[in-house]
Amino acid sequence: MQRLRVLRSVAEHGSFSRAAAALLMTPSAVSQHIAALERSLGRPVAVRSTRGVTLTEPGRLLVETAETITAELDLVRREIDRLTERPRLTVATFTSGGRRLLPGALTRCVGAHPEVELTVLEAEPEAAVTMVRRGVADLALTYHFDGPPPPHTGLDRTPLTDDPLWVVLPDGHRLAGREEVGLGELASDRWVLGCLRTEAFLRRYAARAGFELRVAGSTTDYFFARTLVAAGVGVSLIPGIALAPESAGTHLVRVEPPRPARHIAVVTPPPPAAAAAVRRGPGRSPRRSGGPGRRGVRHRPSAS
């Protein structure tokens, strides 16, 4: 193979000296390889002239064969690498879901499958679904608010749980002692958004309750929103799984039925691809690379 490799380089560069430079060899060593190849064949494979080096017909046939053999060897090498590498699993998740729902599942996964290289990516639902579609992630933890789920053509969606939203009130609020409250009773209050995605959703609920939403603060973090509520800036509507850890100075009150909620689901490729994902891992044909190496977590700014 080394002699064929040298011959290919001579054919590509049209010169022993340029081939030697490309191969990090001396021109003499290149000449010796070509001479040894010719002795083994009993025929010349290259002809030198003042215009450079040209291949004979046997030489051209050898170069064509060498290219085929090299391609086959590369394919076999990739297959061997695939067999010997560790399987991978990449999970994309929104922030509060990753904080409250994933840890237990990941602990069980790592315990049952220590050979799997696990990667977690933080992303909003739309971006997480795109990651699955592009092969960057093997599954996505997503949510949508009340109403039909968004279409995920070509992907599978498995409902996981409903996450009711709670009204968060500051200490001393007139409704803080109630077990349930209607949103219409908060028409005179200003609101703090704990997630920019919730504004359109909250405005729809306010319209149904007969009032116009007045926003006192917008954040991308539910805990920050609760600190603003505790400071008396306004009231808020926050999903249940985003209510830990507890925040001093606030009261949680259920919303009267029908209670607004987030509907959490897992989005995966169709079953054959999902089953192959753990065996192959993202980044192997036909899918693209999916993240850093071993059990890393990459953070993306997220409001969920």
Side-chain angles (χ1 to χ4, degrees), residues 61-269:
L61 289 174
L62 279 176
V63 168
E64 292 174 3
T65 302
E67 291 173 348
T68 301
I69 293 173
T70 300
E72 290 295 328
L73 286 175
D74 287 343
L75 177 61
V76 171
R77 191 176 295 111
R78 287 195 297 271
E79 287 298 310
I80 291 173
D81 290 343
R82 184 185 66 79
L83 292 173
T84 57
E85 75 172 0
R86 297 180 65 181
R88 302 174 185 175
L89 179 64
T90 300
V91 179
T93 178
F94 60 97
T95 308
S96 54
R99 186 168 60 242
R100 293 293 303 277
L101 300 178
L102 271 186
L106 297 183
T107 298
R108 291 191 294 273
C109 177
V110 171
H113 304 283
E115 75 283 2
V116 174
E117 290 188 0
L118 181 63
T119 299
V120 179
L121 308 176
E122 182 181 358
E124 286 294 299
E126 294 87 350
V129 170
T130 299
M131 289 178 181
V132 173
R133 194 178 301 282
R134 292 170 53 198
V136 175
D138 297 303
L139 64 88
L141 189 63
T142 71
Y143 69 86
H144 75 281
F145 290 107
D146 291 335
H152 300 315
T153 306
L155 300 175
D156 285 355
R157 178 183 179 276
T158 303
L160 190 61
T161 187
D162 291 337
D163 183 21
L165 277 70
W166 292 70
V167 171
V168 183
L169 305 173
D171 283 346
H173 190 278
R174 66 187 185 281
L175 300 176
R178 296 269 296 274
E179 291 189 2
E180 289 188 343
V181 63
L183 291 182
E185 298 179 82
L186 298 167
S188 62
D189 289 89
R190 301 182 73 201
W191 289 78
V192 175
L193 302 179
C195 167
L196 298 181
R197 288 168 48 84
T198 65
E199 182 172 2
F201 167 78
L202 189 52
R203 286 191 184 279
R204 289 198 303 271
Y205 267 86
R208 292 176 190 172
F211 69 95
E212 184 176 347
L213 189 72
R214 295 187 302 135
V215 177
S218 297
T219 79
T220 59
D221 179 82
Y222 285 125
F223 187 79
F224 181 28
R226 284 186 288 151
T227 63
L228 294 180
V229 171
V233 174
V235 300
S236 191
L237 191 65
I238 294 179
I241 67 169
L243 291 173
E246 294 183 4
S247 177
T250 62
H251 289 265
L252 306 179
V253 182
R254 289 192 300 270
V255 181
E256 290 180 352
R259 298 186 67 186
R262 296 192 304 184
H263 306 284
I264 300 174
V266 173
V267 174
T268 59

Side-chain angles (χ1 to χ4, degrees), residues 10 26 33-34 47-48 101 103 125 128 153 200 215 226 270 274 284:
V10 168
T26 65
H33 277 293
I34 297 300
V47 177
R48 292 188 181 186
L101 300 178
T153 306
V215 177
R226 284 186 288 151
R284 294 294 172 260

